[in-house]
Amino acid sequence: MNEYMIPSYFFAHGAPSIVLDQNAYTAFIKKFTASTPKPKAIVLFSAHWEQSMQTISAVDTYSTIYDFSGFQDELYQMTYPAKGERSLSDQIQSLFSKQGIQSEMDEERGLDHGAWAVLKLIYPEADVPVVALSVNRYLTNDQQYQIGRALSELREQDVLIIGSGGTVHNLRRLNWQGEGNDEWAESFDNWLQSKLETWDVDALFNYRELAPYSKEAVPTNEHFIPLLLAMGAGDKNRQAKLLHRSYQFGNLSLSCWQFN
């Protein structure tokens, strides 16, 4: 067995235009591979693929989904034709089954912008096989964590597990012309950082009641779920490290967390 365990990661995907942006966060993502060994495959949970049952992609080559409107024309010309990896999809279903997690395969769906916009910045050549996984906003936070934990052994097989979402993601509160960071957004993220770094899962699972400005930061939880999924995959060693945090439009958080 490989003694090295590749970390799992949470990446905020911000607005769909992130793939065209030139800022501190996109510069960070583009340099990500310089310090990370190239994985055998990528398993990615996207906030934009919601299913009532845990669903596992099992495609040969992904189409590109443009699940947004009103952005630059260039975005609609981009593609990310990553290959799937059916044997890995089967292995994931087996790992879920061992933990009593029901799942099903999807042989048609392409990659939404929560997946391809981030992956295009990390591996622009689309030369790493990808297995996309859905999220379910109606599970408890503990159940989300356990789904990630069920996949943790994949890290020993050079599989990169990514959760793609956003810790502060409230489109109604965005300040499109504003500069600087909103205090309430930073307050929530600071609380979150303290709980992640101490691996305080009890507090994290109850963030809605305990965290300052939780309702403003997380009006709906689908973008927060990928953080818990990526964290669960790091349950063995329980070490969390904030690699980057900045904001767009006053409060749209652009952060990356590493879980060892």
Side-chain angles (χ1 to χ4, degrees):
M1 183 64 71
N2 186 355
E3 293 183 2
Y4 172 73
M5 292 182 66
I6 190 169
S8 57
Y9 292 90
F10 169 81
F11 283 92
H13 60 247
S17 55
I18 187 174
V19 73
L20 298 176
D21 291 342
Q22 295 186 20
N23 54 40
Y25 185 54
T26 57
F28 158 78
I29 297 179
K30 290 174 183 178
K31 295 177 182 177
F32 175 78
T33 56
S35 58
T36 305
K38 192 171 186 178
K40 182 178 70 175
I42 298 168
V43 171
L44 188 144
F45 293 91
S46 170
H48 291 278
W49 187 13
E50 293 191 63
Q51 295 287 102
S52 58
M53 180 180 289
Q54 181 62 59
T55 308
I56 307 163
S57 66
V59 303
D60 293 324
T61 303
Y62 287 96
S63 59
T64 305
I65 301 174
Y66 307 102
D67 51 336
F68 47 82
S69 61
F71 287 88
Q72 301 97 314
D73 291 343
E74 187 178 350
L75 283 177
Y76 302 92
Q77 308 305 317
M78 290 185 171
T79 61
Y80 196 80
K83 301 292 185 183
E85 183 63 75
R86 183 58 191 247
S87 62
L88 179 56
S89 298
D90 290 337
Q91 184 182 3
I92 289 170
Q93 188 165 49
S94 177
L95 290 173
F96 281 150
S97 179
K98 289 177 182 177
Q99 299 302 319
I101 300 167
Q102 288 189 307
S103 63
E104 60 186 14
M105 296 288 189
D106 183 302
E107 299 181 350
E108 297 181 358
R109 191 179 190 276
L111 294 176
D112 58 65
H113 81 269
W116 69 260
V118 169
L119 292 176
K120 196 168 183 68
L121 290 172
I122 303 174
Y123 296 106
E125 301 301 318
D127 54 356
V128 180
V130 175
V131 174
L133 297 176
S134 66
V135 302
N136 180 356
R137 70 169 72 192
Y138 298 107
L139 301 179
T140 67
N141 291 326
D142 180 50
Q143 287 174 316
Q144 310 288 3
Y145 184 93
Q146 296 305 326
I147 288 172
R149 187 171 179 267
L151 303 182
S152 60
E153 70 179 64
L154 295 177
R155 296 170 50 212
E156 301 175 15
Q157 302 166 31
D158 295 328
V159 174
L160 174 61
I161 299 173
I162 293 176
S164 174
T167 57
V168 180
H169 191 276
N170 188 337
L171 301 185
R172 293 186 176 184
R173 295 293 299 269
L174 298 184
N175 183 354
W176 295 96
Q177 284 78 39
E179 296 182 3
N181 305 332
D182 291 345
E183 184 177 345
W184 64 266
E186 290 189 316
S187 180
F188 176 82
D189 268 340
N190 287 337
W191 181 92
L192 188 62
Q193 180 176 353
S194 70
K195 304 309 176 187
L196 286 168
E197 289 177 343
T198 56
W199 214 273
D200 187 348
V201 291
D202 289 336
L204 287 165
F205 293 167
N206 292 285
Y207 76 89
R208 178 79 59 187
E209 292 75 29
L210 300 177
Y213 304 103
S214 62
K215 292 179 176 61
E216 290 85 354
V218 189
T220 56
N221 69 340
E222 74 282 352
H223 277 79
F224 192 85
I225 290 168
L227 177 72
L228 298 174
L229 293 163
M231 185 186 187
D235 181 78
K236 184 174 182 179
N237 294 326
R238 296 193 163 199
Q239 296 177 344
K241 183 179 181 181
L242 180 62
L243 300 184
H244 180 93
R245 190 173 86 192
S246 57
Y247 296 87
Q248 265 187 318
F249 314 123
N251 55 64
L252 183 63
S253 64
L254 301 175
S255 58
C256 178
W257 280 93
Q258 174 181 293
F259 301 105
N260 288 337

